[in-house]
Amino acid sequence: MNIENIVEDFWASRQQGVYYPPQWFDRLTLDQACQVQLGLLDKAVAAGARQVGWKVGLTAAAIREQFRVHEPVFGYLLEEGRLDSGVELDLSDWQGTGFENELCLRLAQPLRGPNVDVAQARAAVSGCHPAMELVENRGDFSAQLAVAVADNVQQRAFVIGPEAPLTADADLAAVRCAVDINGAEVAQATGDAVMGDPYASLAWLANKLAEYGRWLEAGQYVMSGSFTRQFPLHPGDAAQTRFSDIGTVTVRARPETG
């Protein structure tokens, strides 16, 4: 199939508010979906958007088994989606909002695959933000994974707290997070839930992007993958995630009016 034509079709559908174009259901491989996603990124940048980083998804082995895929997936982050901790969201134009609890790594130097290892990934990182990824369930993610990948893996925004510097021996696999919604704790987890080590997620991303002629640039953010399952965010909710030795990130959804 002609990838450029598929990109144009997805782009045209997106302008009409259709993010999972049904004409592509059950027709794309994951490799084709990645190519379409990157083509849509290029069109967004050409239209004035600014890319500020990348995200990794399906980092937990159990979730990959659920979707019958052998590796994680990636997506891109745009400047318009970068939000500071404490933000209050108006969800009136969101579709099925959820949040995931992640570390957001900040690169001090570029990473170019292939053959990036965990040690090289660690050396490229200067700091780390406590973070939440804000996702939109714009279609049936489970039934149409390839279409979801083409549509940037549910990405809508990401919320980050203050950056914490990292020492060379920082053990991100041991970082513990605790998640509260409306003052009640709903989850605890550690960084080893992310491919055994968030740095392993970063190395995987660098190597995967190399397959498509892309690389990680100095200054970019990388959302490494969620420590926990995805939680819904409803109007009026307040969510907080605390990461040991890293910091806290919070988000609030504005109550519905009327």
Side-chain angles (χ1 to χ4, degrees), residues 13-103:
S13 294
R14 183 177 288 186
Q15 309 317 303
Q16 302 298 317
V18 178
Y19 295 89
Y20 280 49
Q23 62 268 33
W24 294 107
F25 286 5
D26 302 317
R27 293 183 61 191
L28 299 176
T29 66
L30 283 178
D31 175 65
Q32 290 168 334
C34 290
Q35 294 179 65
V36 172
Q37 181 201 117
L38 293 170
L40 290 169
L41 167 61
D42 290 342
K43 286 187 73 66
V45 169
R50 177 172 174 258
Q51 186 190 7
V52 294
W54 302 89
K55 61 165 281 184
V56 187
L58 304 186
T59 50
I63 295 177
R64 291 196 300 276
E65 290 173 8
Q66 175 186 345
F67 289 103
R68 299 179 183 176
V69 294
H70 70 282
E71 63 179 353
V73 294
F74 65 81
Y76 56 84
L77 305 175
L78 298 178
E79 173 65 30
E80 65 192 45
R82 189 188 69 80
L83 305 172
D84 290 328
S85 178
V87 65
E88 183 178 70
L89 299 173
D90 178 357
L91 299 182
S92 60
D93 68 339
W94 288 61
Q95 303 178 47
T97 315
F99 72 95
E100 299 179 355
N101 305 286
E102 313 196 13
L103 295 180

Side-chain angles (χ1 to χ4, degrees), residues 40-188:
L40 290 169
L41 167 61
D42 290 342
K43 286 187 73 66
V45 169
R50 177 172 174 258
Q51 186 190 7
V52 294
W54 302 89
K55 61 165 281 184
V56 187
L58 304 186
T59 50
I63 295 177
R64 291 196 300 276
E65 290 173 8
Q66 175 186 345
F67 289 103
R68 299 179 183 176
V69 294
H70 70 282
E71 63 179 353
V73 294
F74 65 81
Y76 56 84
L77 305 175
L78 298 178
E79 173 65 30
E80 65 192 45
R82 189 188 69 80
L83 305 172
D84 290 328
S85 178
V87 65
E88 183 178 70
L89 299 173
D90 178 357
L91 299 182
S92 60
D93 68 339
W94 288 61
Q95 303 178 47
T97 315
F99 72 95
E100 299 179 355
N101 305 286
E102 313 196 13
L103 295 180
C104 181
L105 307 177
R106 184 76 155 168
L107 296 181
Q109 58 190 30
L111 273 178
R112 291 174 178 258
N115 305 316
V116 171
D117 61 24
V118 171
Q120 291 169 317
R122 180 184 292 109
V125 175
S126 61
C128 177
H129 299 261
M132 294 175 180
E133 185 184 8
L134 301 180
V135 300
E136 267 191 313
N137 296 298
R138 296 184 285 257
D140 192 335
F141 185 91
S142 297
Q144 298 297 330
L145 178 60
V147 173
V149 169
D151 182 46
N152 204 25
V153 201
Q154 299 185 309
Q155 219 295 306
R156 170 79 184 247
F158 63 110
V159 184
I160 56 175
E163 182 173 346
L166 295 176
T167 60
D169 60 350
D171 185 2
L172 298 186
V175 171
R176 178 170 293 278
C177 83
V179 185
D180 294 350
I181 300 177
N182 300 327
E185 186 172 285
V186 296
Q188 287 191 4

